[in-house]
């Protein structure tokens, strides 16, 4: 079945996830895909980096050297970003936001190394959105009174008239969906554009696509990482509200 | 009614082309946001960093609708849900 006009089946252009091996899991056919492999590679790099960073900090010198300097710079920048957005309650979220930031950033720019970016798979970004969703509502119930949450959920109308409740619930559910779809679609569109350029232009695409890599992988990936973390922090600090005791 | 496969694929391609028209809206919206951010930086150059981060955040939220159109187009072209 060849449809030359449909790019997914034309053979030269390669954007979708490939299954590498399959196994049977309780009667279901489960595939190990390129996403799993790329994700494992990214995680391996991050684990090695974090172990090295921990060693460097543990025997840290008074006057930091090269690698220790870089690690301290990264941690300070990330903590400063969290502090600037979340204010007083930011200290509890240093670890999570920093981890997510570095993970998404490495995943996005792994396209430069010839990997298929793991974030171009909805199965990777949707769990990140779900974690944000759980964090939002956990903190909402932790820091706000149930009565205030109910009033907030009925918001344009008074709390004894919950006509707007279903619409507000839908808009709450839309948060993780839009958060994860935004990241996924941005990275996927970059991947598809690069695959189209390499697949359709052939030998014409030799050196100059590097400039497009800078845009699609580095710029777009960094922007989307920043946006994901900023939106997560904004939603969480909205859920915490002003009456945080931290 | 029974349509053959290539008819459905052709209509999917037309639908995908129509779906990415959704990109007009975010383009206009992001341009407006960037223009106002430039004006704000001109008025108050000291607040450049916070203006830039606010602008990027708003632009990313505005971009979502365009990405939904892109996703519909990608689904129509690659997943071919109408052939199932």
């Amino acid at each position: 079945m060849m449809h030359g006009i449909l790019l997914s089946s034309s053979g030269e252009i390669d954007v979708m996830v490939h299954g590498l091996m399959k196994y049977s899991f309780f009667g279901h056919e489960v595939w190990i895909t390129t996403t799993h492999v790329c994700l494992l590679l990214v995680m391996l790099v991050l684990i090695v980096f974090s172990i090295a960073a921990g060693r460097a900090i543990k025997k840290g010198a008074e006057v930091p050297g090269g690698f220790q300097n870089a690690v301290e710079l990264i941690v300070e920048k990330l903590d400063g970003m969290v502090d600037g957005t979340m204010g007083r309650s930011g200290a509890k979220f240093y670890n999570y936001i920093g981890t997510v930031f570095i993970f998404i950033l490495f995943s996005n720019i792994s396209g430069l190394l010839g990997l298929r970016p793991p974030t171009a798979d909805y199965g990777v970004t949707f769990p990140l959105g779900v974690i944000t969703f759980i964090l939002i509502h956990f903190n909402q119930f932790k820091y706000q009174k149930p009565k205030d949450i109910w009033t907030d959920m009925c918001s344009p109308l008074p709390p004894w008239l919950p006509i707007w409740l279903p619409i507000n619930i839908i808009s709450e559910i839309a948060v993780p969906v839009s958060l994860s779809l935004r990241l996924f679609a941005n990275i996927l569109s970059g991947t598809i554009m690069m695959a189209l350029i390499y697949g359709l232009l052939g030998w014409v695409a030799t050196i100059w696509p590097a400039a497009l890599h800078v845009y699609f992988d580095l710029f777009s990936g960094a922007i989307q990482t920043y946006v994901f973390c900023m939106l997560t922090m904004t939603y969480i600090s909205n859920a915490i509200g002003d009456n945080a005791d931290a | 009614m029974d349509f053959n496969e290539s008819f459905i694929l052709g209509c999917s391609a037309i639908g995908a082309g129509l779906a990415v028209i959704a990109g007009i809206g975010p383009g206009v919206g992001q341009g407006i946001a960037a223009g106002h951010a430039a004006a704000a930086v001109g008025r108050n150059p000291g607040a450049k960093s916070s203006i830039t981060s606010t602008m990027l955040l708003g632009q990313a939220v505005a971009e979502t609708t365009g990405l939904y159109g892109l996703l519909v187009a990608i689904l129509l072209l690659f997943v071919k849900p109408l052939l199932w």
Side-chain angles (χ1 to χ4, degrees):
Chain A
M1 197 172 78
M2 271 298 288
H3 302 287
I5 196 168
L6 284 182
L7 300 169
S8 60
S9 52
S10 68
E12 296 168 16
I13 295 157
D14 177 22
V15 287
M16 303 317 267
V17 181
H18 294 284
L20 295 180
M21 56 172 276
K22 67 175 175 183
Y23 62 97
S24 182
F25 182 75
F26 292 118
H28 290 275
E29 217 175 64
V30 185
W31 283 86
I32 297 289
T33 60
T34 40
T35 303
H36 295 98
V37 178
C38 296
L39 198 58
L40 279 177
L41 285 175
V42 169
M43 277 163 58
L44 205 67
V45 170
L46 287 182
I47 287 170
V48 169
F49 175 74
S50 54
I51 288 175
R55 285 238 177 103
I57 292 297
K58 206 166 270 175
K59 53 178 179 186
E62 189 74 24
V63 181
F67 185 63
Q68 192 191 347
N69 239 336
V71 171
E72 284 182 5
L73 183 73
I74 293 171
V75 172
E76 267 173 22
K77 286 285 176 199
L78 289 176
D79 288 359
M81 187 185 77
V82 179
D83 262 341
T85 316
M86 299 187 74
R88 281 183 306 156
S89 51
K92 275 178 281 183
F93 296 96
Y94 284 164
N95 294 336
Y96 176 66
I97 301 290
T99 311
V100 164
F101 191 95
I102 293 180
F103 169 69
I104 298 178
L105 186 66
F106 264 70
S107 302
N108 289 350
I109 66 177
S110 69
L112 285 178
L113 305 176
L115 299 178
R116 189 180 188 280
T119 34
D121 190 323
Y122 195 48
V124 176
T125 58
F126 185 62
L128 292 171
V130 169
I131 293 171
T132 299
F133 181 74
I134 291 172
L135 272 177
I136 291 169
H137 289 282
F138 178 77
N139 284 299
Q140 199 177 17
F141 278 101
K142 190 174 169 189
Y143 288 109
Q144 294 186 22
K145 297 189 200 80
K147 192 164 155 275
D148 292 343
I149 297 175
W150 176 258
T151 314
D152 199 36
M153 291 300 274
C154 307
S155 74
L157 292 174
W160 46 266
L161 192 65
I163 297 175
W164 280 80
L165 184 64
I167 295 175
N168 280 327
I169 287 175
I170 289 174
S171 78
E172 289 293 320
I173 292 173
V175 164
V177 174
S178 76
L179 204 58
S180 53
L181 274 180
R182 181 178 304 123
L183 179 58
F184 160 70
N186 266 293
I187 307 304
L188 180 71
S189 64
T191 312
I192 288 180
M193 293 289 275
M194 292 319 294
L196 285 180
I197 285 164
Y198 284 126
L200 291 179
L201 294 185
W203 61 269
V204 181
T206 38
I207 295 176
W208 57 269
L212 295 176
H213 269 298
V214 169
Y215 178 74
F216 285 123
D217 287 334
L218 280 180
F219 179 72
S220 181
I223 290 283
Q224 289 310 312
T225 311
Y226 179 71
V227 162
F228 188 93
C229 292
M230 285 297 281
L231 283 176
T232 301
M233 286 187 288
T234 313
Y235 283 130
I236 292 174
S237 54
N238 275 345
I240 289 177
D242 301 327
N243 44 7
D245 50 1
Chain B
M1 263 203 285
D2 194 26
F3 293 115
N4 62 6
E5 202 170 290
S6 38
F7 180 76
I8 296 176
L9 286 178
C11 287
S12 296
I14 294 175
L18 291 178
V20 286
I21 294 178
I24 292 177
V28 173
Q30 290 185 329
I32 289 173
H36 282 281
V41 173
R43 222 174 293 127
N44 184 3
K48 187 164 186 278
S49 63
S50 72
I51 289 172
T52 310
S53 67
T54 312
M55 179 194 77
L56 284 178
L57 204 62
Q59 286 186 332
V61 175
E63 200 179 11
T64 313
T65 50
L67 289 172
Y68 288 159
L70 175 75
L71 272 183
V72 170
I74 288 172
L75 287 179
L76 280 173
L77 278 184
F78 292 104
V79 186
K80 303 169 205 159
L82 300 182
L83 275 184
W84 288 358

